[in-house]
Amino acid sequence: MEVRRLVRGVEAAVARSGLIALVSLAAAGCAATVEPDAARDDGASVDRPSRDEGAEDAPDSSAEDVSASDGALGDMDADAPDVALFDARSDGRSDARTDARTDARSDARTDATGTDARADVSSDAPPRDGGACPPEMVLVAGRVCVDRWEGALVQVFPDGATADWSPYENPGSRRVRAVSRANVAPQAYITGQESERACVEAGKRLCRRDEWLAACQGPARRTYPYGNTFMRGLCNVGRSPHPLISFYGRSDSSIYTFTNMNNPGINQQPNSLARTGQYDRCVSQDGLFDMYGNLHEWIAEADGTFKGGFYADTDTNGPGCLYTTTAHGFTYRDYSTGFRCCADPR
């Protein structure tokens, strides 16, 4: 009797052990089904892109209408170096690039209006190129800083004080410094040598031909700063009648003298010289204004070369950014000659 009870006790224990094993196995099986779900959760960004990825993949509408509408967005073209993304990457925010694109478009429109743009290039403004260039310049092709606007001058006095120099008067041998500002009349009536000295006084230099061309054409190597097709009204070009003819009231060859062509009144006529950034759609992919038209721009060639045409002639010596005049020496000047500075990145 005692033996039977002992046997039954052993059988019950074995049965309970088997049940426990089955429960343990079932529990292990349930745990195994959790892992794929956890894996899907870890990879959620694959199925649900972050705002960062969405901004990267979204089409840039400004690349399509830059030639016809808001030219100030040229620097947001799909082929352009998006300098706004430089600071966005360092922010480490998932939506930084989205915000940077929005901010860059807003900045471009503000610059084009003139007065507000000057605030954007103050010493308090955050650098757009990681600090490689001064605030009034733009980093082009990752290798050269280029003035955003055509050059103006300030006179520098012996005590270091400065005063704006008239853009309608030749500075001669005076000590002058180049400045690049929005919403001012750029300096005309200036020689290549004087332009070079003014840039050096500002810690800059005249642009080399390849640098100037890269700035005007942008990464897409456009014929015009805004695109490959000429569009009337985007830049200050095509003035008619010729400014000399309208100023002197006649068209005979006697008006084409050095003295006549350096009269300060020529560029003060209506519909002649425009203020920097006034033509807010005359802008390159990198955000440089008035590289086509307004004033010829001296470049660093000692034999004498200026680029881009001016407000009354932009096609005699080539279209758009390709316009090149080599007919005058480096000491030549008239109402149409201006300049823009370049500098090496810091």
Side-chain angles (χ1 to χ4, degrees):
M1 194 68 169
E2 291 299 327
V3 174
R4 287 183 181 177
R5 288 179 181 174
L6 181 58
V7 170
R8 287 176 181 173
V10 172
E11 290 176 348
V14 172
R16 284 195 299 272
S17 299
L19 180 59
I20 291 171
L22 290 173
V23 171
S24 300
L25 182 58
C30 291
T33 63
V34 175
E35 292 180 3
D37 292 335
R40 285 195 295 270
D41 187 61
D42 290 343
S45 60
V46 175
D47 299 321
R48 299 189 296 275
S50 65
R51 289 175 63 187
D52 185 16
E53 292 171 331
E56 189 98 52
D57 297 336
D60 189 351
S61 59
S62 65
E64 299 176 0
D65 60 7
V66 64
S67 298
S69 57
D70 194 350
L73 301 185
D75 58 327
M76 300 305 298
D77 185 278
D79 294 328
D82 194 348
V83 293
L85 298 187
F86 183 93
D87 291 336
R89 291 191 181 100
S90 62
D91 287 344
R93 296 181 296 135
S94 62
D95 58 344
R97 292 185 195 174
T98 302
D99 292 346
R101 287 179 182 269
T102 304
D103 292 343
R105 290 189 176 99
S106 176
D107 287 346
R109 292 191 181 101
T110 301
D111 288 353
T113 64
T115 304
D116 290 342
R118 283 181 293 185
D120 185 62
V121 298
S122 70
S123 58
D124 296 329
R128 301 183 181 190
D129 49 28
C133 301
E136 76 280 6
M137 305 186 85
V138 174
L139 184 64
V140 172
R143 60 188 175 88
V144 62
C145 300
V146 183
D147 277 346
R148 183 175 309 213
W149 299 282
E150 289 180 316
L153 297 177
V154 295
Q155 185 174 2
V156 182
F157 298 100
D159 62 357
T162 62
D164 291 345
W165 178 259
S166 170
Y168 311 110
E169 298 282 352
N170 174 256
S173 60
R174 296 173 182 83
R175 183 183 175 189
V176 290
R177 178 185 303 149
V179 293
S180 181
R181 299 171 177 163
N183 200 33
V184 300
Q187 182 66 45
Y189 306 91
I190 190 168
T191 71
Q193 284 184 344
E194 292 161 350
S195 300
E196 186 174 55
R197 286 200 301 267
C199 288
V200 170
E201 181 72 29
K204 304 176 183 179
R205 56 179 172 78
L206 283 180
C207 303
R208 296 191 293 268
R209 184 186 292 236
D210 63 316
E211 294 170 337
W212 192 98
L213 195 60
C216 185
Q217 291 188 306
R221 299 181 63 83
R222 296 168 167 174
T223 302
Y224 302 91
Y226 50 78
N228 287 319
T229 303
F230 172 76
M231 300 192 71
R232 189 174 304 279
L234 266 62
C235 296
N236 185 19
V237 303
R239 185 192 195 277
S240 184
H242 192 279
L244 286 179
I245 295 174
S246 62
F247 187 77
Y248 290 105
R250 62 185 193 275
S251 60
D252 60 90
S253 59
S254 67
I255 64 175
Y256 296 97
T257 66
F258 177 83
T259 300
N260 285 348
M261 294 176 70
N262 282 277
N263 190 305
I266 297 172
N267 280 354
Q268 299 180 66
Q269 299 178 92
N271 303 315
S272 58
L273 183 63
R275 299 175 80 80
T276 52
Q278 179 178 331
Y279 283 78
D280 60 4
R281 292 186 292 173
C282 189
V283 64
S284 73
Q285 286 180 282
D286 293 308
L288 303 162
F289 292 88
D290 304 318
M291 298 202 75
Y292 172 54
N294 211 36
L295 286 177
H296 291 302
E297 297 184 13
W298 287 105
I299 60 173
E301 294 186 4
D303 291 340
T305 301
F306 41 78
K307 295 280 296 175
F310 80 109
Y311 62 84
D313 176 22
T314 51
D315 53 20
T316 299
N317 297 320
C321 299
L322 304 179
Y323 188 106
T324 306
T325 298
T326 58
H328 306 288
F330 209 44
T331 58
Y332 176 82
R333 62 177 169 90
D334 66 26
Y335 65 98
S336 72
T337 55
F339 71 99
R340 183 184 306 255
C341 300
C342 280
D344 297 325
R346 293 191 284 240

